[in-house]
Amino acid sequence: MAGQDRTDNAVPQPQSASRDAVIGLVTAAADTCMKWGRPDLERRLRVALRRIERSLTAIGVVGEFKQGKSALVNGLLGADVCPVDDDFATAATTWIYQSESPEARIRRVVDGRLVVEEIDPDDLVAYVSESGNPDNHLRVEIAEIGLQNPALDRGLTIVDTPGAGGAKAARNAAILGFLPHVDTLIFTSDASAELSAPEVEFLKAAQEVCPTVLVALTKIDLYPAWRRIAEINAGHLAAAEMAAEPIPVSAVLRAEGLRRDDAQLDQESGFPALLDAISTEVLHRSDTIVLARALGEVRAGIGQLLVGAEAERRALADPEAGERMAAELQQAGRTLAELRGAGSRWMTVLNDKITDLIQQNDYGIKTGIQAVLTDLDTALEESDPAAVWADLTASVQAQLADLVGSLFRDIESSAGEIGEQIAALLRDEGALPSSLSSDADLNIEALWSARDRSAPNRDGGPSTVWAAVRGGSSGVITLGVIGGLAGLALAGPLAIGAGVAFASKQMVDERKRRVEKRRREARTVVQQFLGQVQMELGTRTRQMIQELHRTMRDHFAQRVAELDASASAALAAIQESLRETESGRRERLPGLESAIDKLKAMIDRAEALHQEVNEGTRGE
């Protein structure tokens, strides 16, 4: 990878007093949990701290073919990372993320199996460009590049995609299926012409599923009339009721400005303005979500400490009440022990729900594939495959893209519902005695609606580290799967060719026989292709569901273990207080009440900061 990273390539850092305050509070809360002998809660808060320090944000760069997507990515990074060629387009999705040392790998299908291969970063062009990998014949789904770069320093992940639009209806559908999983879309359109009607329609559809849409007017160095094009495009976007304004950029000026260390030339390139937009419209919003999540962790963790402290205070003030609470906590311990067992009801329900989801998914694949075949049969009955083969194959690919996107969305939605059902079930199980339950919430989130974007897993499976930020790597995997399916061979049968017109009845009958033969051959080709698709989709979606199962199981088990530790700590504190003499209890009360006040103050501070963070977002 050529080019030199520059510190002035970094995305501008928005100043946030709230961010510093949240970091300070979470740090103090983690220290408090350790002092109270709760390393499990401390670990949870340290994870929240790491998320704040490196909140992860995904940006998808999309557009028609040869509109400067890869050059724009390189301009954002201030380095030549993605291959750029005037004659050949990007062939495979490229995922770029921060890494301590340069690394690259590809995910591709070999003999029907997804494999992950380490490659030399300098060999990337052979896998992700049309020149090195024409028509993606290597079946590359995703290429991953890790590097140290100032623009990625705040956890930014950039996804460079193959061209969308035009005749590639499947790719268009793939991109739209991918967008709900990213924080923002940068749509590229060069300054040679105004936005086309299909491009505007694509942007309108994108706006409905993606939180932020930015439009980059590329290659302004090549077209003197770019200002007029920008004005026209702004009108198109306004007419489509879109808030986006075209941001004019030149990757050539950007590279030259950085090479010369010429700030004015770099400013003229438009990239500083684009980086500012990313900072204010994307990263700040993502930071806000991560900060709110961290504050929720403070309330949950410190709240569990408060449960034990207040139980101990009641026991010190009223030994009889302490005896009753000790009995309740002993029962809670037995309940929690049952909840931690492999045969617990919530685990049984989770297993059953996952089994149902797998069956539902398999049925969705089967019926979806059958619908494609039914539509194909209808189209074949009405036409000669030789005349419409290109349109037929494009339609099949587009339907498959819709099917894949729908399957992944259904899995995500169902996973969220399962998470909520298990959380409700655990609450109904009575994990804590009623006298304490109001002070300690299970704090079990709807997991699938709050996933973390981390660097891709090397084993090829979806990333499953959870956090309160939008989307996740499954969106990129969705895009890769669709791209991989589009790369499966769907060539026409050898017998399909241009028909010959004959005048005689015998020749007309012969032509009819040839058309019918071509129909049979076309149907066979598509059936074989769809058989491959069905098998691959079934494998990939089941892997995703199984990974979700493991993630939810581990998440809920951890929450139950934390509550078990809280109940045990509260019981131990009560029992100790009951062994105290009356004078000893009187001596301990002031210190304990002071500690409780500090815990409550910490929770109050978390609530106040949460309101401040949210108001800051609404005020943008």
Side-chain angles (χ1 to χ4, degrees):
M1 291 177 288
Q4 183 177 5
D5 294 337
R6 294 272 305 277
T7 56
D8 53 0
N9 299 337
V11 179
Q13 305 284 317
Q15 298 300 315
S16 173
S18 296
R19 186 176 189 272
D20 293 339
V22 172
I23 290 175
L25 180 62
V26 177
T27 302
D31 293 342
T32 299
C33 289
M34 177 54 71
K35 290 176 183 176
W36 282 67
R38 293 298 302 274
D40 54 338
L41 298 178
E42 185 215 10
R43 283 192 297 270
R44 187 171 168 186
L45 289 162
R46 299 292 182 198
V47 169
L49 269 178
R50 288 195 292 273
R51 290 194 190 110
I52 295 174
E53 293 164 358
R54 289 188 62 78
S55 59
L56 300 169
T57 306
I59 291 182
V61 181
V62 308
E64 294 273 7
F65 292 99
K66 305 310 298 172
Q67 296 295 300
K69 294 186 301 299
S70 298
L72 182 134
V73 171
N74 290 343
L76 290 173
L77 298 171
D80 294 334
V81 176
C82 296
V84 177
D85 192 295
D86 290 336
D87 299 318
F88 296 98
T90 300
T93 301
T94 306
W95 187 358
I96 306 164
Y97 59 92
Q98 184 80 317
S99 175
E100 292 183 1
S101 58
E103 60 184 22
R105 65 187 65 87
I106 59 168
R107 303 184 188 205
R108 69 190 188 102
V109 177
V110 178
D111 296 329
R113 184 172 59 90
L114 179 69
V115 298
V116 181
E117 302 172 3
E118 300 285 338
I119 64 170
D120 188 321
D122 292 331
D123 294 338
L124 190 67
V125 67
Y127 296 94
V128 303
S129 70
E130 284 286 351
S131 58
N133 182 18
D135 295 323
N136 196 14
H137 70 277
L138 295 176
R139 298 288 312 282
V140 176
E141 289 193 357
I142 300 171
E144 302 162 3
I145 308 173
L147 68 157
Q148 278 194 327
N149 186 281
L152 304 174
D153 196 43
R154 290 188 61 201
L156 200 65
T157 296
I158 300 178
V159 184
D160 184 19
T161 65
K168 297 289 186 179
R171 178 60 61 184
N172 235 349
I175 295 293
L176 289 173
F178 157 66
L179 290 182
H181 303 273
V182 296
D183 296 276
T184 195
L185 157 72
I186 299 179
F187 185 85
T188 61
S189 179
D190 72 32
S192 64
E194 63 190 87
L195 287 168
S196 66
E199 286 178 313
V200 173
E201 286 300 315
F202 176 87
L203 284 167
K204 287 173 64 177
Q207 184 176 244
E208 295 178 0
V209 294
C210 188
T212 303
V213 175
L214 302 176
V215 178
L217 183 66
T218 61
K219 305 182 183 181
I220 60 173
D221 55 289
L222 293 179
Y223 303 102
W226 67 263
R227 291 178 179 83
R228 176 58 180 158
I229 297 298
E231 182 181 345
I232 294 173
N233 284 350
H236 289 323
L237 295 173
E241 297 182 344
M242 295 191 62
E245 287 280 345
I247 302 175
V249 295
S250 166
V252 173
L253 294 181
R254 169 71 163 173
E256 190 64 16
L258 294 178
R259 187 184 69 82
R260 296 184 188 179
D261 197 17
D262 186 331
Q264 181 177 351
L265 188 59
D266 185 33
Q267 195 70 29
E268 292 175 3
S269 76
F271 275 87
L274 181 57
L275 290 168
D276 281 338
I278 291 173
S279 177
T280 57
E281 298 185 34
V282 182
L283 292 179
H284 180 63
R285 193 177 305 277
S286 294
D287 283 348
T288 297
I289 296 172
V290 173
L291 292 177
R293 167 69 184 274
L295 292 169
E297 299 285 24
V298 170
R299 294 197 300 270
I302 299 301
Q304 289 197 43
L305 297 183
L306 192 58
V307 168
E310 291 193 327
E312 183 181 3
R313 180 180 63 179
R314 294 174 201 169
L316 288 172
D318 184 351
E320 290 185 3
E323 293 282 2
R324 291 193 297 272
M325 283 189 292
E328 288 181 342
L329 284 167
Q330 286 172 340
Q331 177 58 46
R334 290 190 287 270
T335 300
L336 287 162
E338 292 175 1
L339 290 174
R340 296 184 69 176
S344 63
R345 185 177 171 222
W346 75 265
M347 281 194 179
T348 300
V349 172
L350 176 60
N351 293 339
D352 290 345
K353 293 291 184 182
I354 290 296
T355 299
D356 291 344
L357 180 56
I358 291 174
Q359 293 175 348
Q360 170 188 322
N361 178 72
D362 289 345
Y363 180 75
I365 294 174
K366 181 179 178 180
T367 55
I369 295 295
Q370 186 58 50
V372 175
L373 277 173
T374 299
D375 290 347
L376 174 74
D377 287 338
T378 300
L380 288 176
E381 288 299 322
E382 298 173 351
S383 58
D384 181 350
V388 298
W389 184 248
D391 291 338
L392 282 178
T393 55
S395 175
V396 168
Q397 297 285 15
Q399 285 180 278
L400 287 177
D402 288 337
L403 173 62
V404 174
S406 174
L407 288 170
F408 274 73
R409 286 192 298 272
D410 287 346
I411 291 172
E412 294 183 6
S413 175
S414 296
E417 292 173 1
I418 292 172
E420 291 170 358
Q421 290 169 7
I422 299 302
L425 176 61
L426 282 169
R427 292 190 180 98
D428 291 343
E429 290 285 336
L432 284 177
S434 59
S435 60
L436 302 177
S437 59
S438 61
D439 297 320
D441 183 59
L442 282 170
N443 194 42
I444 298 175
E445 307 82 8
L447 295 177
W448 189 251
S449 64
R451 289 173 302 147
D452 186 13
R453 268 172 303 282
S454 65
N457 285 351
R458 296 180 183 230
D459 63 2
S463 173
T464 55
V465 182
W466 305 92
V469 290
R470 181 183 174 87
S473 65
S474 74
V476 181
I477 292 173
T478 304
L479 183 64
V481 169
I482 297 173
L485 295 180
L488 287 174
L490 189 50
L494 295 177
I496 290 183
V500 179
F502 296 95
S504 69
K505 181 180 184 303
Q506 181 180 357
M507 291 298 101
V508 170
D509 291 341
E510 176 63 21
R511 182 180 182 279
K512 288 180 179 179
R513 284 192 292 271
R514 290 187 179 185
V515 169
E516 187 56 38
K517 181 182 178 182
R518 287 196 287 271
R519 286 171 176 162
R520 289 195 301 271
E521 291 176 344
R523 188 177 291 107
T524 299
V525 167
V526 176
Q527 283 177 332
Q528 291 174 345
F529 167 71
L530 292 178
Q532 288 180 275
V533 170
Q534 184 168 351
M535 182 174 62
E536 187 164 335
L537 264 182
T539 299
R540 299 294 295 281
T541 51
R542 278 192 294 272
Q543 288 174 344
M544 180 179 178
I545 294 170
Q546 289 164 356
E547 185 65 24
L548 275 169
H549 184 196
R550 288 189 290 271
T551 300
M552 284 193 283
R553 180 197 62 205
D554 294 346
H555 176 88
F556 289 119
Q558 182 181 354
R559 297 289 85 79
V560 171
E562 288 174 358
L563 290 173
D564 191 12
S566 294
S568 297
L571 177 60
I574 289 173
Q575 289 174 335
E576 182 179 352
S577 69
L578 292 175
R579 289 192 293 268
E580 287 277 7
T581 63
E582 184 176 350
S583 60
R585 289 197 295 270
R586 285 198 301 268
E587 289 176 3
R588 286 181 57 188
L589 264 174
L592 185 57
E593 288 175 344
S594 175
I596 288 173
D597 289 342
K598 290 178 181 178
L599 294 177
K600 287 183 175 179
M602 199 170 287
I603 292 175
D604 290 343
R605 178 62 175 152
E607 292 175 349
L609 280 174
H610 190 276
Q611 183 176 355
E612 182 179 326
V613 165
N614 286 337
E615 287 178 350
T617 302
R618 288 193 293 269
E620 292 175 353

